[in-house]
Amino acid sequence: MINYFGIEILQFPFNLIIFLNFIFGVYNVGRRIENTIYIKNYEIKLLFYFIVFCSFIVLINYSIFFNVLITKLLVFCFFIIFFVLILLLIQNLNFKNNFLKKKISFNLKLIIFFFICYFIIAALSISDSDSLSYHSSFGANMIKYNSSNWLKNAELIHPDFIISGFTEIFNYIGIILYTDNFGSYFNFASLIIIYVYFIKSFKSKKETSFIFLGVISSPILLPMVYSQKIYILPSFILALVFFNIYKSKKINTVNEVMILSSLMLILSFKISFLYTVMIAVLYLIYKNKNFPKTIFLSLVTSIIFFIPIIIKNFYF
């Protein structure tokens, strides 16, 4: 274990095991819920899983209003439940080695190489200044002071604490589980999610691999992966929202709720998404031609997902 802001933190590979338990646990919860409903649209299905993932962050954010001890107990309860769900999933799996028998193309080999490089970077200890002073130190301070009262003077520690969002809450979950690079692991996992979407959504695998290779080889991804700031997946989800609105002739109420919920959750990660989220809402109004309904659903979803973040920042 290493010391981070006076808190004992697990090192690789134990921190990776904890992250995988959390992320696959969330996936299992989403899969069990999905089995009770039917989501035909693949983009909407991804939005659904994004909402399920963010719902746990929402619950942790709500718990901050009460007590740090309640937050810790909630996180540990989730962790145990996720572990049990994974054990049940493993028992029902039929392992096949068909992938190993397939011939791997050169493009895929390059993609795997980049994935390995990004994974190594994600597994490294925190090194960038923003994560050390802000994105991860939020959770460290919550545990250090064993209270959320320190947020009343947060501007004296770091001015950005005043606009802290889901990124800081997610990293707080990681710190509670003795992991300091929850954010970077999730950024790496986001790249895998994007690649899976490309493969499943487009018929030409050769062209898909080439396009994704162009994306993953971009140097702009490097600071986004090793930083604890969660930016890759919200940006991708926002692109999916625009793509779904564009290709849909008319959006039904369930899908509209999914889209608006996703937009409010994206906004909860970073306030800089505000103008693109507003454009997406206006685009939805234009497509559905139902201004009162879309505005009403926007208000409801913002009250559930986004407003609590604003209240937290102003309340404390």
Side-chain angles (χ1 to χ4, degrees):
M1 298 183 90
I2 58 174
N3 191 286
Y4 174 73
F5 279 90
I7 302 167
E8 294 297 321
I9 295 296
L10 293 170
Q11 292 180 292
F12 183 85
F14 303 105
N15 54 7
L16 175 62
I17 293 170
I18 288 174
F19 171 77
L20 290 175
N21 181 76
F22 184 87
I23 209 68
F24 279 109
V26 172
Y27 167 75
N28 275 309
V29 172
R31 193 172 63 89
R32 287 172 181 272
I33 297 172
E34 188 196 349
N35 288 338
T36 63
I37 56 178
Y38 179 68
I39 304 175
K40 185 177 180 181
N41 188 303
Y42 189 58
E43 284 80 26
I44 295 296
K45 185 180 290 188
L46 284 177
L47 296 187
F48 165 75
Y49 277 97
F50 178 68
I51 293 167
V52 172
F53 162 71
C54 291
S55 296
F56 291 98
I57 304 178
V58 171
L59 288 173
I60 298 303
N61 181 62
Y62 281 136
S63 70
I64 290 176
F65 289 96
F66 300 101
N67 191 283
V68 172
L69 180 60
I70 293 174
T71 304
K72 289 181 179 179
L73 290 173
L74 199 58
V75 170
F76 286 126
C77 285
F78 284 150
F79 186 81
I80 294 169
I81 292 169
F82 292 163
F83 182 72
V84 172
L85 289 176
I86 289 173
L87 288 179
L88 293 173
L89 177 66
I90 291 173
Q91 290 179 350
N92 297 324
L93 281 179
N94 293 319
F95 293 100
K96 297 180 181 179
N97 59 351
N98 292 338
F99 175 77
L100 298 175
K101 295 179 181 178
K102 292 181 180 179
K103 187 177 179 181
I104 302 175
S105 66
F106 181 72
N107 280 347
L108 183 56
K109 288 178 182 177
L110 279 177
I111 290 171
I112 292 171
F113 171 75
F114 277 110
F115 271 134
I116 293 170
C117 292
Y118 281 125
F119 173 74
I120 293 170
I121 292 169
L124 295 174
S125 297
I126 300 174
S127 58
D128 63 297
S129 58
D130 281 349
S131 297
L132 287 167
S133 62
Y134 171 42
H135 299 306
S136 291
S137 64
F138 174 90
N141 283 318
M142 291 292 288
I143 294 174
K144 181 180 178 180
Y145 294 109
N146 202 32
S147 169
S148 52
N149 291 328
W150 67 275
L151 286 169
K152 294 176 181 177
N153 298 313
E155 70 278 1
L156 301 177
I157 304 172
H158 197 293
D160 285 343
F161 280 133
I162 300 172
I163 53 171
S164 60
F166 278 3
T167 290
E168 289 68 46
I169 303 297
F170 184 68
N171 284 307
Y172 176 32
I173 295 172
I175 296 293
I176 291 174
L177 296 172
Y178 305 102
T179 305
D180 65 340
N181 51 357
F182 239 45
S184 56
Y185 276 138
F186 187 75
N187 289 332
F188 172 74
S190 299
L191 293 178
I192 296 176
I193 292 169
I194 294 170
Y195 179 67
V196 171
Y197 171 78
F198 270 69
I199 292 297
K200 288 192 173 184
S201 299
F202 303 102
K203 294 181 180 179
S204 176
K205 291 186 177 181
K206 184 179 287 187
E207 291 179 4
T208 300
S209 296
F210 177 76
I211 294 170
F212 186 76
L213 187 59
V215 173
I216 201 172
S217 62
S218 174
I220 198 171
L221 280 178
L222 187 63
M224 291 185 182
V225 172
Y226 74 71
S227 173
Q228 302 309 305
K229 176 172 65 177
I230 299 173
Y231 208 81
I232 296 175
L233 189 65
S235 299
F236 175 66
I237 294 297
L238 185 60
L240 283 185
V241 167
F242 275 104
F243 180 61
N244 186 261
I245 297 172
Y246 168 76
K247 75 173 190 176
S248 302
K249 292 182 178 179
K250 188 171 179 62
I251 300 167
N252 60 46
T253 303
V254 174
N255 288 357
E256 189 172 5
V257 170
M258 292 271 199
I259 289 171
L260 290 171
S261 297
S262 298
L263 289 173
M264 296 308 153
L265 289 167
I266 289 166
L267 195 56
S268 299
F269 277 98
K270 198 73 177 174
I271 196 67
S272 57
F273 284 113
L274 179 60
Y275 77 97
T276 45
V277 167
M278 290 177 64
I279 292 171
V281 173
L282 291 173
Y283 191 16
L284 190 60
I285 292 171
Y286 168 77
K287 203 62 180 278
N288 268 3
K289 304 291 191 297
N290 196 335
F291 179 82
K293 177 187 173 184
T294 303
I295 291 299
F296 173 73
L297 291 176
S298 298
L299 288 173
V300 172
T301 52
S302 65
I303 289 171
I304 297 171
F305 298 120
F306 179 62
I307 299 300
I309 282 287
I310 302 298
I311 293 174
K312 173 184 68 66
N313 293 335
F314 280 97
Y315 175 76
F316 293 107

